[in-house]
Amino acid sequence: MIDASVLTISDFVKLLFWCFGAPFLISLVFSLMFWIFLRFRVISFTYGLNLMNTIIDRVVGYSIFWSLSILGLILLTMAAFWILGILTLASISFNVFVTFLLYCAIVVIPSLTYYFVMEQGFNALKKRGVLDLKDWDYVKGGKLYRWPDATYKYLKRKKWYNDFLLNTKDVASHIYKLSNVVFVSPSANKGRIEEKLYDLFPKKFDFILMDYSQNIEGKAITKSNGKFTYVDGSYDGNNLKSNLAKLGMCSSDIIMDIRGCIWYSTDKDDDTGEGVTRVFREYHKSLKVGGVIIIDAVQLKSKTITRNQIFYKGMNLVLGFQEISTYQKIQGFIDNNDFIDKHFHTEIVGEGSNRLAIFKKIS
């Protein structure tokens, strides 16, 4: 344990360098070299590198969560001893705090440096067409490999599936009266949500699942009765009409897009919402009149999202969603959107985590 009372300024500066500065510089050099090698294709992104990226991401979450938790407890203990006038124990607590802080930095600083450098680096590689990490996130060992299963269990606890059936039945009762219904999920990922809905819905529904990423492992299996089909290959939701045509279908009755193609159609650099309108145009072409687009619409505050991220990455606990809903992300672009206002009637149903936005095609 470090005795802070006997440290000179020179000793303290050396400790700061070895515990903060050196880990930062080593991680910075490593991250930049890694990015350069990927950028100029000196190396290829492999399963091993993807696993390394996932491990570092988890180390960031675990180290920050537990470091802050333990440092907080030490500070409370030190404050309690100080208030009670037990100065000897308060001094020891302070030394424990300084020692733990410095040793934590050896893990936290390099992992955080890598995380922030490569977060920007991977985005730059995607823009240059070198590497799209979405293709790797959902394979075994990827950062999001377990997230669809965790989300499935969370939604089950919230009775999301039953509410989805009841709410869509209220808003789109005319669809449920049809002899055959085509239910399309253009961004199905593993298809766990769709598989549960298939079990609940009447068997006159034909579920068609697709996804842009073709490297998804552990995805739902196509049923032999032809009522639940996960189409193999890469299918971009931006081309849904032609994707359906490849399957011999002209249109669909329901399109469910939960944090999928619409969610990814806009980002922080988008000022016009052109991507959102483009996807709605494509879905409009792919729907029958009276058909509906269903997206997630839970309202989340930034502090709630941060809390959910910390508990999932730090303790593997799912307290809620880790990102804003599709409706929250696009709301600024669909309010007073001429195309959407002309061709769709919008209705918000459900509450809390089960809140949905339903767009009914009227023309």
Side-chain angles (χ1 to χ4, degrees):
M1 183 172 65
I2 296 170
D3 187 351
S5 63
V6 299
L7 286 179
T8 64
I9 294 177
S10 176
D11 292 334
F12 192 67
V13 170
K14 287 178 182 178
L15 276 174
L16 285 178
F17 173 77
W18 286 114
C19 295
F20 283 82
F24 169 74
L25 290 173
I26 292 170
S27 181
L28 181 63
V29 171
F30 172 79
S31 303
L32 291 175
M33 291 299 294
F34 182 40
W35 182 84
I36 291 170
F37 285 166
L38 289 173
R39 166 66 182 86
F40 294 101
R41 294 182 169 88
V42 177
I43 60 173
S44 300
F45 199 74
T46 61
Y47 172 80
L49 292 177
N50 191 41
L51 183 60
M52 178 197 75
N53 191 54
T54 300
I55 291 172
I56 293 175
D57 182 73
R58 281 304 176 94
V59 168
V60 171
Y62 283 120
S63 61
I64 291 177
F65 179 85
W66 289 109
S67 295
L68 291 177
S69 300
I70 295 171
L71 285 170
L73 286 173
I74 296 173
L75 277 175
L76 287 174
T77 303
M78 185 170 62
F81 286 141
W82 189 270
I83 292 170
L84 293 173
I86 312 175
L87 300 183
T88 302
L89 291 178
S91 176
I92 292 173
S93 297
F94 178 72
N95 290 335
V96 171
F97 175 81
V98 171
T99 304
F100 188 77
L101 176 65
L102 291 173
Y103 282 110
C104 278
I106 296 173
V107 176
V108 175
I109 295 299
S111 55
L112 263 180
T113 303
Y114 173 88
Y115 179 83
F116 284 116
V117 171
M118 293 312 298
E119 182 76 11
Q120 299 301 317
F122 285 129
N123 288 335
L125 292 173
K126 180 182 176 181
K127 288 180 180 179
R128 293 176 178 273
V130 176
L131 172 68
D132 188 348
L133 210 58
K134 276 198 302 180
D135 295 333
W136 288 90
D137 279 345
Y138 294 99
V139 302
K140 193 170 184 179
K143 288 196 298 184
L144 300 177
Y145 175 69
R146 298 182 185 277
W147 179 243
D149 299 316
T151 302
Y152 166 80
K153 293 176 183 177
Y154 171 74
L155 294 178
K156 191 175 181 180
R157 293 202 310 269
K158 293 293 183 179
K159 296 182 168 52
W160 186 91
Y161 305 99
N162 300 83
D163 284 358
F164 183 98
L165 175 60
L166 293 173
N167 288 327
T168 53
K169 214 169 186 178
D170 285 342
V171 175
S173 58
H174 59 287
I175 292 178
Y176 286 77
K177 295 174 183 176
L178 300 173
S179 58
N180 184 258
V181 180
V182 177
F183 185 112
V184 178
S185 179
S187 307
N189 197 267
K190 284 189 177 182
R192 296 293 306 277
I193 291 175
E194 292 80 356
E195 200 169 33
K196 180 63 177 178
L197 291 176
Y198 164 79
D199 292 336
L200 292 175
F201 273 55
K203 290 302 173 268
K204 63 182 178 179
F205 278 71
D206 291 334
F207 280 76
I208 308 296
L209 284 63
M210 309 173 185
D211 202 275
Y212 169 76
S213 176
Q214 56 184 337
N215 294 326
I216 298 170
E217 296 185 28
K219 64 185 182 183
I221 299 172
T222 296
K223 313 293 182 187
S224 58
N225 62 5
K227 291 292 184 180
F228 184 93
T229 305
Y230 202 131
V231 187
D232 289 329
S234 176
Y235 288 85
D236 190 342
N238 288 286
N239 305 313
L240 184 58
K241 181 68 175 177
S242 61
N243 292 341
L244 290 175
K246 292 175 184 177
L247 302 175
M249 297 180 177
C250 298
S251 57
S252 60
D253 301 289
I254 297 176
I255 298 174
M256 183 181 76
D257 196 336
I258 306 297
R259 288 181 175 83
C261 187
I262 296 176
W263 198 93
Y264 283 107
S265 67
T266 182
D267 55 36
K268 61 184 179 181
D269 297 324
D270 187 3
D271 297 323
T272 64
E274 181 181 347
V276 176
T277 304
R278 182 186 65 248
V279 178
F280 267 89
R281 286 182 184 276
E282 184 66 22
Y283 285 5
H284 176 267
K285 291 189 295 182
S286 309
L287 273 177
K288 298 173 185 175
V289 175
V292 295
I293 301 170
I294 304 172
I295 64 173
D296 51 295
V298 57
Q299 297 290 334
L300 293 172
K301 296 179 180 178
S302 58
K303 63 180 181 181
T304 304
I305 293 172
T306 302
R307 181 207 65 183
N308 295 344
Q309 290 174 340
I310 289 172
F311 273 87
Y312 180 68
K313 290 188 175 183
M315 297 184 66
N316 208 31
L317 289 177
V318 179
L319 300 182
F321 300 108
Q322 296 188 47
E323 53 201 2
I324 61 174
S325 67
T326 304
Y327 187 75
Q328 271 186 290
K329 193 173 184 184
I330 69 171
Q331 188 172 6
F333 299 128
I334 62 175
D335 290 342
N336 302 316
N337 183 297
D338 292 339
F339 178 81
I340 295 175
D341 290 343
K342 179 180 178 181
H343 296 287
F344 292 96
H345 168 71
T346 307
E347 190 164 345
I348 305 296
V349 297
E351 297 178 353
S353 298
N354 301 351
R355 194 168 182 260
L356 301 170
I358 300 179
F359 302 84
K360 178 182 176 182
K361 180 178 176 179
I362 57 178
S363 66

